[in-house]
Amino acid sequence: MREIRTVIFDWDGTLSDSISRIVECMRGAAELIGVPLPAEQQVRDIIGLGLPEAVAVLFPDIDDPSLTRRLTEAYSQYFVAQEQTPSPLFDGVLDTLAELRQSGYKLAVATGKSRRGLDRVLKSHDLTNFFDATRCADESLSKPHPRMLEEILNRLETPATNAVMLGDSEYDIRMAHNARVRAIAVSYGAQSREHLLQSQPEHCIDAFSEFRSWILSPVNSAPVSKTISIPVSRG
C-alpha cells in the first residue's frame, strides 16, 4: 500500500459541524421564496455539491431562472448572517491538523463552498494561511467530478496514489474514486454510514478522533521531513 503524503479534507460536515446550519438556511430560503420546503434528509443528501448543483437537485420542478437565482441568493444571505457566529470545528480537528503538519503531511481542502465562503470561515477560525492548497466548487467543477482533486494534486506535486480524501458525503467518495485517490468516509456529518458504504470508501470512521489513529498507523504513515515551509492558503 502506498504511503500517504497529502491529506485532502472536505469542509462542511467533515471538519466543521455546520450541517444543521446548512439545513436550516436552505429550508429558510425555500420558505422565503415560496417553494415547497425540502425535508431535512433531502438537504443533507445534497451537501457537498456546489450551490447551483444542490439547488437543481433539491428543486427539480423550478424552471424559472429568476426564481432559482432568488433562491440561491436567499440561501447565501441566510448563511452569511448565521456565520456571524462561525460553525464550530469538530472535537480534535485543530490538534490533529497541527500534528499532521508537524509530521510533514501536506494538507488541503476540497469543498462545495464558494471561494468567498471558504475564505470567510478559514479567517474566522484563524486558518487562513494553514492549508497548502484549497479548491472550491465555484472556481473548479462540482463534486463528484475529480477536477478539484486533480488541481490540488498538481499544485502539491503529489501522485494520486500518495493522497487520501476525507469526506462525509457520497460526492466526496465518488470524487476520490474518479481521481484515483484513496477515500475515507465519516459518518458523523451529512450522510449515514449505511449510505456512505454504498460508495465503497476504503474505511469509514464515526468520530474525527479515529482519523488520527488511522492516518498515523504504521501502514499509512509516510517517512517525511518535519521541516515545515510556510503554507499557501489558496488553491
Side-chain angles (χ1 to χ4, degrees):
M1 187 170 290
R2 301 295 293 275
E3 296 165 341
I4 296 171
R5 300 183 181 277
T6 293
V7 186
I8 306 166
F9 300 94
D10 169 55
W11 185 266
D12 292 307
T14 300
L15 298 182
S16 174
D17 188 4
S18 51
I19 299 302
S20 61
R21 179 169 291 181
I22 294 173
V23 172
E24 178 184 351
C25 292
M26 187 62 77
R27 286 171 55 85
E31 184 175 21
L32 179 67
I33 300 304
V35 297
L37 268 64
E40 177 180 348
Q41 191 58 53
Q42 288 179 296
V43 181
R44 284 174 167 267
D45 286 343
I46 55 81
I47 293 175
L49 295 173
L51 183 55
E53 291 79 11
V55 168
V57 172
L58 269 180
F59 306 97
D61 295 331
I62 297 180
D63 55 8
D64 182 350
S66 65
L67 188 59
T68 300
R69 183 175 62 254
R70 288 171 55 204
L71 183 60
T72 57
E73 290 174 350
Y75 170 81
S76 296
Q77 290 168 4
Y78 268 113
F79 201 83
V80 170
Q82 290 281 337
E83 280 194 335
Q84 297 305 312
T85 302
S87 298
L89 302 179
F90 288 105
D91 290 345
V93 164
L94 285 178
D95 289 344
T96 298
L97 292 179
E99 184 174 1
L100 292 177
R101 277 193 65 197
Q102 185 62 31
S103 297
Y105 290 93
K106 296 178 181 179
L107 305 180
V109 171
T111 176
K113 301 179 81 66
S114 67
R115 167 53 60 188
R116 183 171 61 177
L118 181 62
D119 285 349
R120 185 170 57 246
V121 296
L122 289 177
K123 181 178 180 180
S124 70
H125 288 290
D126 197 25
L127 292 171
T128 297
N129 295 312
F130 190 90
F131 293 97
D132 297 285
T134 60
R135 296 303 287 169
C136 301
D138 65 343
E139 62 192 6
S140 186
L141 290 177
S142 177
K143 304 169 185 179
H145 194 283
R147 181 168 295 178
M148 278 197 281
L149 293 187
E150 292 168 347
E151 291 171 343
I152 287 172
L153 296 176
N154 182 63
R155 171 67 181 272
L156 300 183
E157 300 181 338
T158 301
T161 51
N162 294 123
V164 63
M165 172 75 199
L166 187 74
D168 69 317
S169 79
E170 64 174 287
Y171 308 111
D172 297 310
I173 307 309
R174 290 165 52 197
M175 176 177 65
H177 290 330
N178 290 337
R180 304 184 187 281
V181 167
R182 296 169 69 178
I184 305 298
V186 306
S187 66
Y188 55 79
Q191 297 179 349
S192 69
R193 168 180 279 268
E194 292 73 21
H195 186 94
L196 291 165
L197 290 178
Q198 294 176 22
S199 298
Q200 299 184 323
E202 177 177 328
H203 187 53
C204 185
I205 61 174
D206 299 316
F208 188 83
S209 58
E210 296 176 23
F211 180 66
R212 179 189 178 280
S213 300
W214 184 88
I215 187 69
L216 295 177
S217 66
V219 70
N220 291 316
S221 297
V224 292
S225 169
K226 293 187 178 183
T227 301
I228 306 298
S229 59
I230 298 174
V232 179
S233 65
R234 294 178 179 268

